[in-house]
């Protein structure tokens, strides 16, 4: 199998076309990257900013260069010796008339050859949640219009920018009445009675978008009604959606695949086995799978690993100070007592998901259950389902036709036991038997499958897209796959996790920033540092809330923003504050920050919501956020900059430490676009902005200084040195042992040291942790040493500085005299 030595994620769309990406190849080659890791490139909806809303899985999107542009890009990659990993989307497609398959379903209903490509409940009329208000109001306003398609002269129903194909019979009826003449079509459209009859004759039913959670008749991607689930368990669907993917792999243009949202599929294991058979043993495959604490990827999946969210969580063990976190916890409980209980808040968030956001999906499960067991009270069934989904400790289990694995049996047993306190016992026990596979029937299998497809979205939307925006204690740890209330367990726990990583997925990706993370890696690193000087941070927030009290707006339901949101905003602002604000485009930063603030409060779903926007509240929060960045808010800015300076410098130190760990620990280092420089981005869409060419041909290790430019250059130099060494010694990092190194002396707890060893080859990583940048004096590391085991008893040299070390124990003071981290190598 072709295993990457490193990956570089590129977000195609917008300014990033194949030709633009081709221009970056020499810089990526110079950086040491082995494989470009591309976001979805297949044709997506017009104006798509991400590519996951695919309309044609067998065409490369003309918007980014089409097949010719791709072929040019591929040829240039191959000439440079770089490989390509492609992100594919088997779970869903765009529910858009731009999607020819979906359009055919709208026109022909169950008679369409694509009717069973999509996961549609055909026991009811297909619902389309496209309306901005109830249908009666839309008709009264005359917003539905008949028109002829200028391209193929088909008759269409239009609603603003939406175009809906009509059934053949009803279209012919309208043509017979109007002759297709525009004036006659307008007169027909204005006749509410005739329009109602026309709508009744369709194979679909238009509904208000706010009714999707209750009345949608197809499986969607999370809460996104614009993305319809695919029935990938059907071999025909599998073959027809992967034709071009297989062609690109077999042609040698693509060497690896990243599988988006594997947990959405009915039967992930069978899908992956079919995929492996189709693309062969040499193709690298990773899956987007969010692992819970202590959860491991199913070992019978034929993949190399995950996309690496769990690696980010492991870093929090190293760079969050547990005693400082306790102080922040106490302060946060005083500021936001209603949100300080994480477990109680998580239950509320999950309860909201099962009762409101996924009401229709839960109701469908209850209906399936009742069709098997009609004698059990429906209210009991609904209650038991809700409580079990709330109690589920991981995203999902993986039973389909087969019995549950031992791991999944334990997960289910834990969830059942936790749900038992509130769930009706008879209904819960029967659900338990269904989920374990004790009941064998078509409906029972469908129930089991749909429960497993639903538990993940409930978990994701409740935690990542709701509770992470309510529980704002230390937002650096509110990260995808993270456990915000877990105690920072320190160096020993980190070493244990890396040893596990080497055992279970030595070739999984190791990420620190992605298109889905809540903030860029360097913003997160800076915010980790708040736990090192909690008193200064807590006192600062108290002063700033007082200084900016006049910026709050008093609304009937309370001040805006409220203390919990202020606490979050100051952390977010700290994470993105530039090194020299006077050189920044304040207005651009202000707009980005205000947009984040509005998204955050909508995601929190406390006083506003995506489904029920509170404009007055959102305007007040956005106004407050912008006012923090105005140049005339001088008292605040002076205090904020002065308070933030030590956190900024400490953040740089953490950034470099986590970078070198990622480059050398078990796993394949994944670099998100632009993160070879400094990445202070916020959550999407902020982290998907076009990137400037940040690559520099750094030929010497830069002088170390606590400034943006110098740290960015040093990040590039560290990446370049480490990746070039990985390229020269690939087996060392894929197969080499992971050896935690003993650190002794008065600063023993402030160093992380480990070795990768394979035969005569060895690489030793030494980085600081829980160290304030101001403490990095010449004598700070005195009386601290790293013990080098006997199997590495030979001459070493530091790749970053070129200095040499004799065999035996190494003095930390000497090793880190000039630079705050070291990468020592031997052999080869």
């Amino acid at each position: 199998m072709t295993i990457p030595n490193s990956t570089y994620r590129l977000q195609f769309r917008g300014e990033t076309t194949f030709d633009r990406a081709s221009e970056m190849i020499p810089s990526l080659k110079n950086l040491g990257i082995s494989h470009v890791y591309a976001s979805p490139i297949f044709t997506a909806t017009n104006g798509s900013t991400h590519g996951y809303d695919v309309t044609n899985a067998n065409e490369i999107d003309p918007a980014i260069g089409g097949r010719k542009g791709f072929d040019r890009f591929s040829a240039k990659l191959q000439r440079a010796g770089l490989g390509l990993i492609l992100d594919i989307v088997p779970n869903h497609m765009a529910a858009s008339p731009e999607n020819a398959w979906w359009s055919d379903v709208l026109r022909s209903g169950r008679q369409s050859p694509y009717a069973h490509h999509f996961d549609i409940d055909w026991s009811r009329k297909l619902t389309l949640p496209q309306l901005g208000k109830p249908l009666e109001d839309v008709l009264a306003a005359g917003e539905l219009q008949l028109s002829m398609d200028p391209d193929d002269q088909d008759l269409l129903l239009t609603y603003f920018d939406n175009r809906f194909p009509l059934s053949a019979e009803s279209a012919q009826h309208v043509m017979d009445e109007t002759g297709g003449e525009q004036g006659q079509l307008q007169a027909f459209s204005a006749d509410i009675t005739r329009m109602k009859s026309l709508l009744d004759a369709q194979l679909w039913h238009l509904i208000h978008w706010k009714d999707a959670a209750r009345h949608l008749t197809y499986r969607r991607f999370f809460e996104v009604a614009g993305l319809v689930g695919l029935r990938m368990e059907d071999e025909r669907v599998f073959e027809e959606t992967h034709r071009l993917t297989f062609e690109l792999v077999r042609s040698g243009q693509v060497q690896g695949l990243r599988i988006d949202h594997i947990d959405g599929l009915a039967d992930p294991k069978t899908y992956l086995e079919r995929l492996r058979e189709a693309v062969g043993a040499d193709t690298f495959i990773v899956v987007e799978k969010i692992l819970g604490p202590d959860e491991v990827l199913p070992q019978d999946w034929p993949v190399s690993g995950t996309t690496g969210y769990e690696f980010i969580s492991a870093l929090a063990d190293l760079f969050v100070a547990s005693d400082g976190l306790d102080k922040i916890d106490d302060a946060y409980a005083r500021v936001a007592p209603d949100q300080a209980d994480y477990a109680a808040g998580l239950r509320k968030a999950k309860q909201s998901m099962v009762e409101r956001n996924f009401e229709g999906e839960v109701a469908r499960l209850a209906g399936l259950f009742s069709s098997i067991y009609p004698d059990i009270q429906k209210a009991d069934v609904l209650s038991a389902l809700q409580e079990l989904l709330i109690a589920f400790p991981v995203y999902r289990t993986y039973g389909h036709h087969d019995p549950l694995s031992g791991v999944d049996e334990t997960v289910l047993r834990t969830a059942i036991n936790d749900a038992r306190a509130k769930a009706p016992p008879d209904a819960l026990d029967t659900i338990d038997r269904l989920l374990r596979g004790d009941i064998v029937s078509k409906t029972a299998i469908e129930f089991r499958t749909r429960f497993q497809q639903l538990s993940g979205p409930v978990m994701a939307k409740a935690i990542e897209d709701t509770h992470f925006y309510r529980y704002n204690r230390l937002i650096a740890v509110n990260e995808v796959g993270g456990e915000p209330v877990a105690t920072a367990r320190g160096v020993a726990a980190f070493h244990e996790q890396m040893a596990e990583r080497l055992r279970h997925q030595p070739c999984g990706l190791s990420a620190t920033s992605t298109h889905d993370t809540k903030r860029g890696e360097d913003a997160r690193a800076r915010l980790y540092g708040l736990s090192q000087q909690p008193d200064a941070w807590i006192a600062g927030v108290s002063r700033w809330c007082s200084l900016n009290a006049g910026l709050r707006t008093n609304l009937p339901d309370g001040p805006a923003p409220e203390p919990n949101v202020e606490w979050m905003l100051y952390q977010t602002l700290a994470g993105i504050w530039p090194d020299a604000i006077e050189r920044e485009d304040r207005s651009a930063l202000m707009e980005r920050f205000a947009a984040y603030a509005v998204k955050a409060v909508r995601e929190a779903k406390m006083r506003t919501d995506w489904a029920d926007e509170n404009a007055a509240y959102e305007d007040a929060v956005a106004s407050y956020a912008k006012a923090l960045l105005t140049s005339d808010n001088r008292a605040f800015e002076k205090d904020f900059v002065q308070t933030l300076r030590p956190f900024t410098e400490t953040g740089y130190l953490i950034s470099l430490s986590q970078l070198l760990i990622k480059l050398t620990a078990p796993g394949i280092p994944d670099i998100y676009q632009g993160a070879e420089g400094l990445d202070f981005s916020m959550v999407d869409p902020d982290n998907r902005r076009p990137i400037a060419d940040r690559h520099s041909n750094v030929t010497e290790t830069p002088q170390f200084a606590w400034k943006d430019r110098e740290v960015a250059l040093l990040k590039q130099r560290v990446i370049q040195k480490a990746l070039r060494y990985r390229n020269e010694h690939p087996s060392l990092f894929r197969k080499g042992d992971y050896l935690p190194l003993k650190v002794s002396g008065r600063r023993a707890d402030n160093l992380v040291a480990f070795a990768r060893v394979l035969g005569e080859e060895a690489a030793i990583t030494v980085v600081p942790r829980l160290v304030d940048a101001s403490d990095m004096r010449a004598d700070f590391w005195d009386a601290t040493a790293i013990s080098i085991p006997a199997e590495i008893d030979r001459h070493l040299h530091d790749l970053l500085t070129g200095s040499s070390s004799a065999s035996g124990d190494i003095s930390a003071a000497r090793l880190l005299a000039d630079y705050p981290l070291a990468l020592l190598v031997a052999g080869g």
Side-chain angles (χ1 to χ4, degrees):
M1 181 184 296
T2 301
I3 302 292
N5 291 321
S6 59
T7 59
Y8 188 93
R9 172 73 176 200
L10 275 179
Q11 291 294 121
F12 284 93
R13 307 290 148 182
E15 295 179 15
T16 306
T17 62
F18 291 125
D19 287 344
R20 172 71 183 95
S22 295
E23 295 171 0
M24 298 173 63
I25 290 173
S27 296
L28 297 177
K29 175 73 172 178
N30 182 62
L31 201 59
I33 299 296
S34 74
H35 286 68
V36 169
Y37 165 25
S39 67
I41 63 171
F42 301 122
T43 298
T45 56
N46 185 37
S48 174
T49 59
H50 47 74
Y52 289 96
D53 45 354
V54 175
T55 58
N56 186 346
N58 294 307
E59 178 185 63
I60 296 176
D61 202 333
I64 56 175
R67 184 60 187 261
K68 289 183 179 179
F70 173 79
D71 287 343
R72 290 194 300 271
F73 175 59
S74 172
K76 192 165 184 179
L77 281 174
Q78 292 179 355
R79 287 195 296 272
L82 272 64
L84 178 63
I85 297 169
L86 195 59
D87 190 343
I88 64 172
V89 192
N91 177 70
H92 54 264
M93 291 183 77
S96 164
E98 295 178 50
N99 179 345
W101 294 355
W102 184 250
S103 185
D104 195 78
V105 169
L106 299 188
R107 182 177 293 106
S108 304
R110 297 187 72 168
Q111 303 310 309
S112 168
Y114 307 107
H116 297 288
H117 279 49
F118 302 108
D119 195 351
I120 298 170
D121 178 4
W122 285 111
S123 68
R124 298 179 286 162
K125 184 177 278 194
L126 176 61
T127 52
L128 304 179
Q130 301 291 335
L131 302 181
K133 50 193 171 187
L135 178 58
E136 292 290 333
D137 296 341
V138 169
L139 285 168
E143 292 170 351
L144 291 174
Q145 294 289 317
L146 290 165
S147 65
M148 303 301 296
D149 189 322
D151 296 325
D152 55 23
Q153 292 302 300
D154 281 348
L155 183 64
L156 298 171
L157 181 71
T158 64
Y159 176 68
F160 298 104
D161 292 334
N162 297 288
R163 294 150 39 117
F164 306 103
L166 302 174
S167 67
E169 184 177 349
S170 68
Q172 186 59 53
H173 171 72
V174 174
M175 292 298 289
D176 289 344
E177 288 202 20
T178 67
E181 196 274 321
Q182 186 60 33
Q184 292 296 317
L185 289 174
Q186 288 177 346
F188 193 111
S189 302
D191 188 326
I192 293 177
T193 300
R194 287 204 289 176
M195 287 294 284
K196 282 184 176 180
S197 296
L198 178 64
L199 290 172
D200 288 342
Q202 300 315 307
L203 301 165
W204 39 261
H205 175 55
L206 289 171
I207 63 173
H208 189 188
W209 70 268
K210 290 187 177 182
D211 292 332
R214 185 180 301 111
H215 297 302
L216 201 65
T217 55
Y218 57 85
R219 181 173 60 86
R220 53 190 170 155
F221 171 72
F222 291 0
E223 292 183 84
V224 184
L227 298 174
V228 57
L230 287 165
R231 296 184 63 255
M232 200 53 62
E233 63 273 24
D234 185 320
E235 287 193 56
R236 180 185 165 210
V237 178
F238 175 82
E239 292 294 337
E240 292 190 8
T241 54
H242 288 74
R243 276 200 311 270
L244 182 54
T245 296
F246 296 159
E247 178 191 327
L248 297 178
V249 170
R250 290 163 185 163
S251 70
Q253 291 176 291
V254 169
Q255 291 74 43
L257 299 171
R258 181 257 197 196
I259 314 305
D260 182 63
H261 190 43
I262 190 69
D263 277 349
L265 303 184
D267 186 3
K269 179 173 179 285
T270 298
Y271 168 80
L272 291 169
E273 289 171 343
R274 286 176 180 163
L275 185 69
R276 175 58 71 196
E277 183 179 1
V279 301
D282 289 339
T283 303
F284 176 75
I285 302 175
V286 289
V287 294
E288 184 199 27
K289 163 65 186 169
I290 298 171
L291 298 171
D294 303 319
E295 184 183 9
V296 297
L297 198 65
Q299 296 300 290
D300 56 355
W301 287 5
V303 300
S304 291
T306 73
T307 53
Y309 295 125
E310 68 281 352
F311 185 79
I312 300 174
S313 300
L315 292 173
D317 274 336
L318 289 179
F319 298 117
V320 174
S322 57
D323 55 346
L325 187 59
D326 288 342
K327 288 186 175 183
I328 292 174
D329 192 60
D330 290 342
Y332 182 60
R334 294 190 297 272
V335 167
D338 292 342
Q339 300 301 327
D341 185 334
Y342 181 83
L346 179 56
R347 176 177 173 82
K348 288 180 182 177
K350 282 191 167 186
Q351 188 169 359
S352 176
M353 290 300 119
V354 298
E355 291 180 356
R356 190 191 75 159
N357 299 59
F358 293 102
E359 179 184 353
E361 287 85 350
V362 176
R364 187 174 183 186
L365 277 175
L368 288 169
F369 181 99
S370 294
S371 71
I372 306 170
Y373 298 100
D375 295 336
I376 298 180
Q377 292 291 319
K378 291 183 179 179
D380 287 353
V381 175
L382 191 61
S383 175
L385 281 169
Q386 290 172 342
E387 289 300 330
L388 186 56
L389 286 164
I390 290 169
F392 231 70
V394 296
Y395 273 63
R396 63 168 287 176
T397 53
Y398 296 98
H400 191 55
H401 293 286
D402 300 326
L404 290 178
S405 68
V407 171
D408 282 348
E409 280 276 5
T410 300
V411 167
L412 181 58
R413 180 62 43 226
T414 298
I416 291 287
N417 289 340
D418 287 348
R420 200 169 290 285
K422 294 180 179 292
D426 289 349
L428 185 65
D429 289 340
T430 308
I431 292 170
D432 183 19
R433 291 197 297 275
L434 283 167
L435 294 179
R436 283 192 284 111
D438 293 350
I439 314 301
V440 181
S441 71
K442 183 178 179 180
T443 306
I445 291 171
E446 183 180 1
F447 175 90
R448 187 189 202 194
T449 299
R450 293 198 181 282
F451 182 94
Q452 292 175 137
Q453 287 177 298
L454 178 58
S455 60
V458 168
M459 176 80 84
K461 296 303 293 185
I463 296 180
E464 296 160 27
D465 292 340
T466 302
H467 200 35
F468 277 4
Y469 292 93
R470 294 178 179 177
Y471 182 78
N472 295 314
R473 178 187 62 165
L474 181 64
I475 61 175
V477 296
N478 292 10
E479 195 50 85
V480 179
E483 188 74 5
V485 289
T487 303
R489 297 178 295 171
V491 177
F494 175 79
H495 286 322
E496 289 174 8
Q497 290 178 81
M498 291 303 101
E500 283 289 306
R501 190 165 180 78
L502 182 61
R503 279 193 293 272
H504 293 296
Q505 50 165 329
C507 296
L509 299 187
S510 297
T512 43
S513 293
T514 78
H515 62 288
D516 279 332
T517 44
K518 299 302 182 187
R519 51 197 42 84
E521 61 193 57
D522 301 297
R524 189 185 314 113
R526 185 181 290 177
L527 297 180
Y528 283 153
L530 305 185
S531 68
Q532 293 181 208
Q533 298 184 52
D535 294 334
W537 177 254
I538 293 164
V541 173
S542 179
R543 289 194 307 275
W544 305 328
C545 288
S546 297
L547 280 169
N548 293 314
L551 302 177
R552 296 187 205 108
T553 303
N554 290 317
L555 298 174
D557 62 342
E562 60 270 44
N564 185 42
V565 173
E566 285 185 292
W567 184 272
M568 175 272 294
L569 288 174
Y570 288 116
Q571 290 182 75
T572 303
L573 189 60
I576 65 170
W577 193 269
D579 191 45
I581 186 68
E582 64 276 3
R583 294 202 301 267
E584 289 292 316
D585 181 344
R586 277 185 188 261
S587 61
L589 188 61
M590 191 182 296
E591 291 302 321
R592 288 173 51 212
F593 182 48
Y596 172 86
V598 171
K599 175 170 181 171
V601 294
R602 285 183 183 175
E603 296 283 27
K605 306 173 186 67
M606 300 297 289
R607 296 172 66 182
T608 188
D609 193 340
W610 295 105
D612 189 15
E613 296 171 13
N614 180 340
Y617 174 70
E618 291 182 5
D619 289 347
V621 171
S623 175
Y624 184 94
K626 289 180 179 180
L628 299 183
L629 280 159
T630 56
S631 57
D632 56 358
N633 195 350
R634 293 187 180 88
F636 164 69
E637 182 176 312
K638 181 180 179 181
D639 191 325
F640 191 74
V641 169
Q642 184 175 350
T643 304
L644 192 61
R645 185 171 294 114
F647 294 113
T648 300
E649 295 175 352
T650 297
Y652 290 144
L653 193 58
I654 297 172
S655 290
L656 294 168
S657 291
Q658 71 177 3
L659 173 65
L660 187 55
I661 289 172
K662 177 173 76 171
L663 295 169
T664 56
I668 296 166
D670 173 41
I671 299 168
Y672 186 65
Q673 61 177 27
E676 70 279 14
L678 291 169
D679 181 8
F680 295 115
S681 59
M682 296 170 282
V683 74
D684 71 277
D686 191 67
N687 61 8
R688 301 178 188 181
R689 290 171 294 136
I691 58 166
D693 191 346
R694 302 180 185 179
H695 309 287
S696 300
N697 187 17
V698 186
T699 56
E700 296 181 1
T701 303
Q703 287 295 113
F704 188 74
W706 303 116
K707 296 292 181 183
D708 277 5
R709 182 181 180 279
E710 285 74 14
V711 176
L713 289 173
L714 186 53
K715 277 188 74 175
Q716 290 180 39
R717 183 60 168 167
V718 170
I719 292 169
Q720 186 182 68
K721 282 290 189 179
L723 291 189
R724 288 182 177 181
Y725 190 78
R726 283 186 71 110
N727 291 339
E728 294 165 359
H729 304 269
S731 295
L732 170 63
F733 293 97
R734 291 178 202 161
K735 302 176 182 178
D737 292 337
Y738 177 87
L739 300 180
L741 300 184
K742 181 182 178 182
V743 181
S744 58
R746 65 191 185 108
R747 303 294 185 191
D749 195 45
N750 297 115
L751 279 183
V752 184
F754 59 84
R756 306 299 307 278
V757 181
L758 183 67
E760 293 299 308
E761 295 179 300
I764 294 173
T765 296
V766 180
V767 299
R769 65 180 288 269
L770 306 187
V771 176
D772 295 334
S774 59
D775 289 335
M776 294 291 285
R777 304 177 304 274
D779 61 348
F780 181 79
W781 298 110
D782 283 354
T784 305
I786 302 104
S787 298
I788 306 301
E791 54 261 55
I792 320 177
D793 186 16
R794 48 193 176 275
H795 178 82
L796 301 167
H797 72 274
D798 189 342
L799 281 181
L800 303 182
T801 64
S803 61
S804 298
S805 297
S807 59
D809 290 355
I810 297 175
S811 161
R814 184 169 62 83
L815 182 66
L816 304 177
D818 298 317
Y819 278 85
L821 61 165
L823 176 56
L824 305 171
V825 298

